[in-house]
Every structure is written in structure tokens, then in C-alpha cells.
Amino acid sequence: MKALIPETGFRAVFCRELVRMARSRLLILVVFILPPLSFAFIAWFFSQGVLHSLPVAVLDQDNTQLSREIIRRMDATPGIRIHLSVSNFTEGRQTIQSGETYGLVIIPKNLEKDVLRGLAPNTVLYVNNTYMIAASLIMKDATMAMQSLSSGLELKSHMAEGRTRQAAIGHIQPIRVDVRVPFNPYANYFYFLAATLLPTMLHMFVITSAIYAFGSELARSTAAEWLEKAGGSPWLAVFAKIFPYTLIFCAWGLFMNAFLFRMGVPMEGSGMLLRLGTSSMVLAYQAVALFLVAVCANMRMALSLASFYASTAFAFVGVTFPAMGMPSAARIWGDLLPLTHYLRLFVDQTLRGAPVQASMDAFGSLWLFVILAGGTGLILMPGRMKNPAYWGRK
Amino acid sequence: MKGFFEEWRAEALRILKDPGILLLFFGVQLIYPAVYPLPYRAEVLRNVPIAIVDQDRTPVSRQLTRMVDASETVQVAGHFPDFEAARKAFIQREVSGILIIPPDFTPNIRKGRTATLPLYCDGSYFLVYRQVAMGVQQSAGTLSAGIEIQRLTATGLTKKQAMAARDPLPLINVFLFNPAGGYGAYIVPAVLVLILHQTLLIGIGMLGGTQREYGDKTAIPENSSATGRTLGRIFVYFPLYCLHIVWFFGILFRIYRYPQRADLWELFFFLVPFLLATICLGLCLRHLFRERASAMMALLFTSIPILFLSGFSWPVEAIPEPLRILSQFLPATPGIGGFLKLNHMGADFYTIKPEFIQLWLQALIYFILACIISWRENFQQIKDNRVP
């Protein structure tokens, strides 16, 4: 066994790192346990996938066949569940404020009579826009239910005038927009959110473990021993040290993709490019970690900066709120995150089925991080490793 | 109560002497609120670029194009001869939707048939999809209604009668709270409460981790009581975070013009048990961190899951039951929920009584636990003193 591990060189540093990893509870947690745990958490959390049956209150001041039909139709939509009926507006508002319901439908007095008299009485839906996702779903479903009921009534009156059904439909709806969603056809929130959250979690593990791996050598003054194992070559020391992490996180990245596809995320583009992209993102964040450690020469500082860099990322990657709506400063900051480019590549290759060329700039950007951040790190790092002044800083 | 002042002083000194911890207790509160809302400064996504493929080329189709362009949510970024060309622009991310006006568009309207407009939306970005669908549907709806009313008035109805006849059962949608649908106003306040929660938990944990990793030179005051020491520590963080509350919700909220329906005192009164519960939970978890770096990482890894668990972005109804129960032990869940109800929805204190009680219960339980843990420190020290 001993003969397999030479005293110095790539394999020596590689094996030394495996031992360091195995001895550190923190690294075992970050490298082996937390990635699958976080994937499982997110998958479980969004396991319902499509939202349905959100509670809504109703105030029926009419209490006729038609008003009951409205309630029945709304309740029958996938998004809405008529949860309870209230006797006045204040009471309904209260159920929204307490979080018991997300909305309140108010059906006016004399609704049925007024419809028959051709007065088009207003039904009002109040939705709580503090919870935007729920609000927009309820609004969409309620509008659809009412429109189908309304055009049904209109259709009846036209057909009563002696038109055929088809002529009547053309009459009441001269123009119809046929919304087609070729990308993410099920408008499934899981694809959209979970697919983004998984790489977001992964990038946090990649960057912190790399900072810890490099930084702890300086913080614990073990850099000399590290360099010695590498036969005095600082670059070899860096490469051999990070290599096990690269391998493991690339494996987690592949696992993550397979997991997302299993959960039903469509794969319309190039699977090869996606896999290369995931691995490149891992490398890009390891390069950024090397850069931060080399520049700060202080693990605490590097870790603080990395935490800031990674914890604000989700707001800037342009998934929940797209980049086109951001001010340019936010867009530039977003472009300085490898995650932004990776997610662009991910969306292109999975949901959109874009050709490989369309994702080349995103792919190139990831490598720009590897080369620029990694290159600067490689230039600065030897000085940090050799100079004891940078060791043991707290 | 012995040991209150000694521990208060010791804990305060630990914070003041450590730049990293100072950054967490003062810097984060200054930097994050300045940086985090930046992407959402425009609040609402406007003028999403879409492609038009006009195969009809009539005054009606041009009118439709103008109306779509004039809508607030979309703008016409270009005309393309066919779908393939538009699709290329879409793949290149030059446009985020494709509206096709087919050659039989005007003929169909003339013949009294329904003219269909295929609209291709980008389902890969939820907000983009919503804005494009909304903008085009509204414009087409307005044009459609105009045509229909024209037809109805031609049969002798008045304009008012015609409008009633075309939609006998209208639905008016009203947004309660956050009426403008601002994205920043939706997400940032919850994130601010989360920042209070996370920096407290992690800051306290980081102090614990540092003590464990580098050894603690400030020994436990002799003959001190565990309760006294715990209270001493609590009263370091409590006044500091009261200041942060004033800074976040008294000053920053005004700068960012976020909705403010509760007065500051009311918010303050609600957040007192939130702070106490969070501090005491922090004191309980303090001993889990064996080194400084692990606390920092915990801050990073838990923030997103906790934000989702608090049930403000993903409806609580859709969260699996076990996770929902688990989330009830975190001060952030009732804290963010109650805060939004009080401040965003203008609820009165009676409405948020469940959250308020829950926070006090958490504070009580975690306080007792923290005292027990602190009590065990005595034995630890006695043991340690024997060893050398």
C-alpha cells in the first residue's frame, strides 16, 4: 500500500488531502452529507409541484342559482378552493389578514336579476398580493371561471336570437389569444424554482469547501508541509489539493442533473454540453475560491467574502426577477457570478432546446472565470504559501 | 442573578475584540439592505421585448401591433417574416415572446369567425411569461371588445347595453396589499427579518465556535448562576438588535418606500419576543459549532431553506406536513409571517395573536434550554480545572 503513495508529487498531495478531508468533520459534512441532503430537502419541499386548492372566502349577497353557480365554478378550478363563506367584508378581510384565506370573492346583491336586466353587475375578487405566487394563480383561475360563465350566458342569448353555435362563438369572441408555452409547457413551478435552487445550493458547497481547503493550510500554518509534499512546486500543490474536491463535486453535479431529470425536468438540448457546463461551474467557483484565498491570505476574510458573494447570488442570477428588468449595476453584478451563466446554459439546454452555439457564450463565460480568477490565484498563491508572514492569521 | 454583569461585560468584549463578529453584527446590517434590493429597484418588469410575425398586413393587424407596443408590460422589439426567424431571435434571447398574426386574421374577423392569435411565451422564466401573456391578452382583448361592441351597436343597442351584453358577468380583480405588485416590496421586507434571524443565530454560534477552536481565556465567573449568565448574554444582543429594528423598519423602509401600515412601536412590540426567541435559540445552538468556519457556513447554507420554510414565497398549504411542523420551531416562521401581516396587511394585534404567543413560547423554551446548557458549563469548568 505504502508503495502506491509516493513521498512527494501529485499523488502524495492528493492522498494527503483525502486524509485531511476524512479527519475534518466540517469537510465531511460539506462535501459528502449536505449536498444530497439539500437536494432531498428541495425536492421534498416542492414535491407538490403544481399549486392547487388555495383557500378563498366568499361573500354571497345574492344567494341565487347563478351566484351559487359562480361559487361552484370557482371551487372547481384547480387553483381555488372555496374555503368558507363570510357574512360581511370586514369578516372576509379578517380571514385574509389572519392568513386563513388568500382572497375574497364578493357577489353583489341582485346579481341574477341584474344580469337578466342586462346591467352586467360586477363581481369583485380581492386577492392578497403579499403572497404573489398564490395571488396570481387565484386571479388567473377566477378570471377564467367567470369568463367561461359569462360567455356561456352571452352565447345562450345569441343562440336564442337564432344564430348557430359556431356563429355565436365567433360573434362573442372576435379575437382569441392562444397562449402556447413551448418551453416549460406545464408551467410547472418545480422546474423553474427547484432547478435553480439545486445549483444554487451546490455552488455554496463548492466555494466554501474550496476556501476551507486552501485557507486552512494558511490559517493552521501547514502550508510548508503541503508544499513539501508537492515537491516544492506550488502549482502542483494547488492542483493536486483541489482535484479530489473537483472530482466529488462534478459527481454531485452529474447526480444533481440526473435527479432533476428524474423529477421531470425536460431535456430538450445537448446533455453533453449541460454536463460540461455543470463541471465548468464547479471549476469556476473553485477558481474564485483560490482567488479569494490568494488575495485575502486570510481564511476568515475569504470565507466572509465568499459568503457574501454566494448568499446574495440568488437575487442576482435573474431567475425569479429576470435580468432584463434589473438596473445595469445589478446586471453587472449578476454577470460576475458564474451561477448566472450556468443557469442561462441550463435553461437553454433543458427547457428551451437551444442549439449548442446559443449556449457557447455562457459556456465561454464560465471558462473566463476559470482562467482569470484561477490564473490570478495561481500567480499569487505561491507567495502566500512560502511566506510564513501569511500563516496563522486569524 | 450572580454573574449577570460579569458575563454581560465578557460577551460584549468578545464581540468588540473580534472584527469578523463585528462585521456580522454591524456590517451585514449596513451592507445587505443596500445591496439586496438592487435587482428589484424597478419593482415591476416592464416592456418585455417580443417579436411580431405579421402575415396579415392589414390596418387591423397594424392596429393590434401598435396596441401591443403601447401596453405597459410588453414592447415590440422587431418584425420577422416567419416563425423560424423569430424563433432564432428568441433563442438568442433578443425577444421573450412571439406573437403571430396569421394571414386569415382580418378575413376571419370580417366573416364573424373567431380569429386566433398564436402567442409563444417563455415558460422558463415565470415573471417574463406572466408579463407577456398579460400584455398581449389585454391588448387583443381591448381590440376584440371594440369589434364586438361595434357589431352590437350596429344591431341597435346603446354602447352601454352593448358592453353589458358582451360581458354579462364581469369580474373585477383588486389587489389587497402591495397593489402595484412590486417585486422588491414583496421579497425584501421578509429578507430583512431573515437577516435579523440569521445574523443573530450565526453570530452567537460563531462566538461559540471561536471559543471552542481557540480556547476561551475569559473563564466563567466564580459562583455565578447559570440564569444570571444567560440573561447577561441576552442583554448584550437584545439592545443591539433593537437598534437594528429601528434602522431597518424605521429608517430603511422609509428610504425604500416599502409599505408601512403598522407603526414602529407596534412592530417593535411584536419583534421583542422574536428577538428573545432567536437569541435564546442562538445560545442553545452555540455549542454545536466546533470551529469558527462552520458557523459562517451554516449561515450561508440555511438562509435559503429557512426563507422558503417560513412560508411566505411558497404557500404554506403546499409545504409537506413534516416540514411545516419542523418550521414552527424556528423563530423566523412566526416572525416573518406575523411581521408581514402586521406591516403589509395592516392586521391588528388580535389577528396576529397566534404568532405572538408562539414567539413567546419559543422564547421561554429556548431560554430554559439555554440556562440548562449554561448550567452544565459549570461542571465542564470544574472538570477542566481538575484535568491540568
Side-chain angles (χ1 to χ4, degrees), chain B residues 150-165:
Chain B
Q150 234 172 31
R151 279 181 197 162
L152 288 165
T153 47
T155 65
L157 294 177
T158 65
K159 197 164 178 193
K160 201 175 160 196
Q161 282 171 323
M163 276 167 79

Side-chain angles (χ1 to χ4, degrees), chain B residues 39-337:
Chain B
Y40 315 123
R41 208 164 58 191
E43 290 289 333
V44 183
L45 188 61
R46 290 197 182 85
N47 297 330
V48 178
I50 66 163
I52 301 256
V53 180
D54 186 354
Q55 297 161 327
D56 188 39
R57 294 168 188 279
T58 58
V60 186
S61 75
R62 279 192 284 274
Q63 191 190 349
L64 176 68
T65 308
R66 271 197 304 278
M67 287 169 81
V68 168
D69 194 34
S71 81
E72 200 188 356
T73 53
V74 264
Q75 74 177 46
V76 174
H79 291 265
F80 294 87
D82 54 30
F83 178 68
E84 228 4 81
R87 207 183 81 94
K88 275 205 186 104
F90 179 91
I91 293 291
Q92 296 300 326
R93 293 178 183 261
E94 285 156 20
V95 295
S96 297
I98 303 166
L99 176 63
I100 295 176
I101 309 178
D104 58 355
F105 178 65
T106 310
N108 267 339
I109 293 175
R110 291 241 171 80
K111 284 180 205 147
R113 289 198 211 119
T114 301
T116 304
L117 291 170
L119 171 69
Y120 291 85
C121 287
D122 185 357
S124 38
Y125 296 93
F126 190 69
L127 214 54
V128 175
Y129 158 73
R130 209 179 68 170
Q131 299 301 78
V132 171
M134 203 160 79
V136 173
Q137 270 171 336
Q138 269 170 6
S139 310
T142 314
L143 185 65
S144 181
I147 294 167
E148 203 184 338
I149 286 167
Q150 234 172 31
R151 279 181 197 162
L152 288 165
T153 47
T155 65
L157 294 177
T158 65
K159 197 164 178 193
K160 201 175 160 196
Q161 282 171 323
M163 276 167 79
R166 70 164 290 273
D167 189 8
L169 263 183
L171 178 71
I172 312 287
N173 288 310
V174 182
F175 280 140
L176 281 176
F177 328 123
N178 193 7
Y183 204 82
Y186 154 71
I187 204 161
V188 176
V191 169
L192 289 183
V193 180
L194 186 73
I195 289 174
L196 294 178
H197 185 262
Q198 294 297 85
T199 53
L200 261 178
L201 286 186
I202 301 318
I204 296 173
M206 204 149 133
L207 274 178
T210 312
Q211 274 177 294
R212 278 285 273 279
E213 195 178 350
Y214 299 102
D216 190 8
K217 282 152 214 117
T218 49
I220 299 166
E222 252 174 68
N223 297 326
S224 61
S225 84
T227 323
R229 283 201 311 274
T230 307
L231 282 173
R233 286 176 181 175
I234 291 172
F235 277 91
V236 174
Y237 303 107
F238 186 69
L240 175 64
Y241 271 74
C242 286
L243 286 180
H244 288 329
I245 288 177
V246 175
W247 158 239
F248 277 12
F249 308 121
I251 299 167
L252 273 177
F253 258 49
R254 247 160 251 187
I255 296 175
Y256 287 126
R257 289 162 207 251
Y258 287 145
Q260 217 164 10
R261 289 194 184 80
D263 72 46
L264 192 56
W265 285 112
E266 212 177 355
L267 276 182
F268 200 78
F269 188 60
F270 173 73
L271 289 172
V272 164
F274 169 71
L275 288 185
L276 291 176
T278 313
I279 294 168
C280 292
L281 179 60
L283 291 176
C284 294
L285 300 179
R286 181 184 188 130
H287 295 267
L288 293 180
F289 298 106
R290 294 179 172 225
E291 55 188 307
R292 200 181 159 91
S294 61
M296 197 77 200
M297 292 185 193
L299 168 76
L300 184 60
F301 302 154
T302 55
S303 292
I304 286 178
I306 291 179
L307 189 66
F308 278 98
L309 277 179
S310 72
F312 106 98
S313 72
W314 189 247
V316 273
E317 285 76 13
I319 301 175
E321 190 72 24
L323 288 179
R324 199 159 57 190
I325 292 168
L326 190 78
S327 75
Q328 296 308 320
F329 290 94
L330 293 168
T333 306
I336 292 177

Side-chain angles (χ1 to χ4, degrees), chain A residues 64-354:
Chain A
T64 54
Q65 213 181 337
L66 181 61
S67 73
R68 282 188 292 272
E69 180 66 12
I70 292 177
I71 296 170
R72 202 189 60 74
R73 292 270 188 117
M74 286 200 178
D75 196 39
T77 63
I80 298 173
R81 176 169 57 89
I82 299 294
H83 176 61
L84 82 171
S85 122
V86 293
S87 53
N88 56 51
F89 177 74
T90 324
E91 200 189 318
R93 198 184 149 95
Q94 189 85 49
T95 67
I96 295 178
Q97 282 176 333
S98 69
E100 194 183 349
T101 66
Y102 289 97
L104 168 66
V105 181
I106 298 186
I107 301 173
K109 238 180 214 153
N110 301 326
L111 171 98
E112 199 177 61
K113 250 190 241 158
D114 286 351
V115 169
L116 291 174
R117 279 156 65 200
L119 290 175
N122 287 336
T123 301
V124 184
L125 167 70
Y126 291 94
V127 282
N128 184 356
N129 208 28
T130 311
Y131 304 104
M132 267 169 104
I133 294 169
S136 81
L137 179 65
I138 289 170
M139 208 176 82
K140 194 186 92 195
D141 277 8
T143 307
M144 244 158 60
M146 279 301 268
Q147 260 171 10
S148 89
L149 197 56
S150 184
S151 46
L153 287 175
E154 200 192 352
L155 199 64
K156 245 187 222 162
S157 76
H158 279 296
M159 282 162 75
E161 283 165 21
R163 284 198 183 83
T164 65
R165 192 183 163 80
Q166 207 187 357
I169 291 174
H171 203 86
I172 63 170
Q173 198 181 27
I175 301 171
R176 190 173 68 88
V177 178
D178 177 18
V179 179
R180 298 173 189 180
V181 192
F183 319 106
N184 195 0
Y186 314 107
N188 186 330
Y189 220 81
F190 175 82
Y191 298 166
F192 166 76
L193 254 183
T196 325
L197 283 168
L198 258 54
T200 304
M201 293 306 294
L202 185 71
H203 100 279
M204 292 178 175
F205 303 128
V206 172
I207 195 168
T208 49
S209 63
I211 295 237
Y212 190 81
F214 290 126
S216 63
E217 299 277 8
L218 298 180
R220 304 219 171 113
S221 310
T222 48
E225 182 207 328
W226 172 30
L227 195 58
E228 195 185 317
K229 271 272 185 226
S233 159
W235 287 14
L236 187 119
V238 168
F239 286 128
K241 182 175 187 63
I242 202 65
F243 194 58
Y245 298 91
T246 313
L247 284 181
I248 296 165
F249 280 113
C250 285
W252 280 131
L254 296 183
F255 174 76
M256 175 182 81
N257 291 339
F259 184 72
L260 283 172
F261 296 134
R262 235 195 115 79
M263 298 298 296
V265 173
M267 178 69 229
E268 304 285 346
S270 156
M272 196 59 217
L273 180 62
L274 180 68
R275 273 177 228 127
L276 283 174
T278 312
S279 312
S280 306
M281 180 190 72
V282 170
L283 278 176
Y285 274 106
Q286 291 181 332
V288 171
L290 177 68
F291 173 80
L292 286 173
V293 171
V295 168
C296 299
N298 177 336
M299 183 172 76
R300 279 186 188 181
M301 189 69 184
L303 202 55
S304 296
L305 288 178
S307 293
F308 177 75
Y309 187 65
S311 63
T312 49
F314 196 59
F316 287 85
V317 291
V319 170
T320 51
F321 193 81
M324 67 172 94
M326 293 182 195
S328 46
R331 232 180 304 174
I332 291 168
W333 181 246
D335 281 339
L336 290 174
L337 306 165
L339 192 61
T340 306
H341 303 282
Y342 172 67
L343 288 174
R344 213 168 277 169
L345 186 146
F346 178 85
V347 166
D348 274 348
Q349 295 304 321
T350 56
L351 301 174
R352 290 171 165 230

Side-chain angles (χ1 to χ4, degrees), chain B residues 326-362:
Chain B
L326 190 78
S327 75
Q328 296 308 320
F329 290 94
L330 293 168
T333 306
I336 292 177
F339 175 84
L340 291 180
K341 284 173 190 171
L342 203 59
N343 191 59
H344 278 45
M345 309 179 206
D348 51 24
F349 236 91
Y350 178 76
T351 313
I352 53 150
K353 211 169 84 183
E355 282 90 350
F356 193 61
I357 292 172
Q358 188 183 352
L359 285 170
W360 275 114
L361 271 176
Q362 287 179 345

